Amino acid sequence: QVQLVESGGGSVQAGGSLRLSCSASRSVYVSNCMGWFRQGPGKEREGVAGISTGAGSTRYADSVKGRFTISQDNAKNTVYLQMNSLKPEDTAMYYCAADWELCRDPPAVTPGREAFWGQGTQVIVSS
């Protein structure tokens, strides 16, 4: 089973910031696409951002461009999602995933690949 460990969710007021972290085993991390998707209450899953850990190229959903930044630390096999200017509509469970669909434009997530997802971390943005 692939292990992805997330941290960093929480509650924040609109306009605030949070940073999510996702650590993976090296075999999962290297030369892969790592990223985040989210699912809000009553909403479909939405790809948020992806980063190719080999090339460092990034992709973002239009809804987060200019506000969220995905980055990587190869020494730690970890990717980060810096979320700024948060809005109430960003409220969702955020999942880290190893999925090449997250490095498409726009990012997406492959159904049925739960084995390659983290446990999820809750982000709540209040107005």
Side-chain angles (χ1 to χ4, degrees), residues 7-101:
S7 61
S11 296
V12 66
Q13 289 194 321
S17 299
L18 287 171
R19 189 176 82 153
L20 308 182
S21 300
C22 174
S23 296
S25 61
R26 184 153 182 82
S27 62
V28 170
Y29 181 88
V30 171
S31 298
N32 206 343
C33 175
M34 301 286 297
W36 303 85
F37 69 94
R38 66 188 180 185
Q39 188 161 21
K43 296 183 180 180
E44 301 268 330
R45 286 182 195 134
E46 177 189 21
V48 174
I51 186 166
S52 170
T53 59
S57 55
T58 58
R59 296 288 185 269
Y60 296 95
D62 285 345
S63 58
V64 307
K65 279 179 183 175
R67 300 188 298 122
F68 291 11
T69 303
I70 190 168
S71 61
Q72 62 188 112
D73 185 335
N74 291 339
K76 296 181 179 180
N77 302 331
T78 298
V79 295
Y80 304 96
L81 187 68
Q82 178 66 43
M83 305 186 293
N84 298 330
S85 303
L86 282 160
K87 304 176 181 180
E89 51 264 43
D90 294 317
T91 294
M93 186 71 81
Y94 284 71
Y95 296 87
C96 176
D99 190 338
W100 278 102
E101 291 297 312

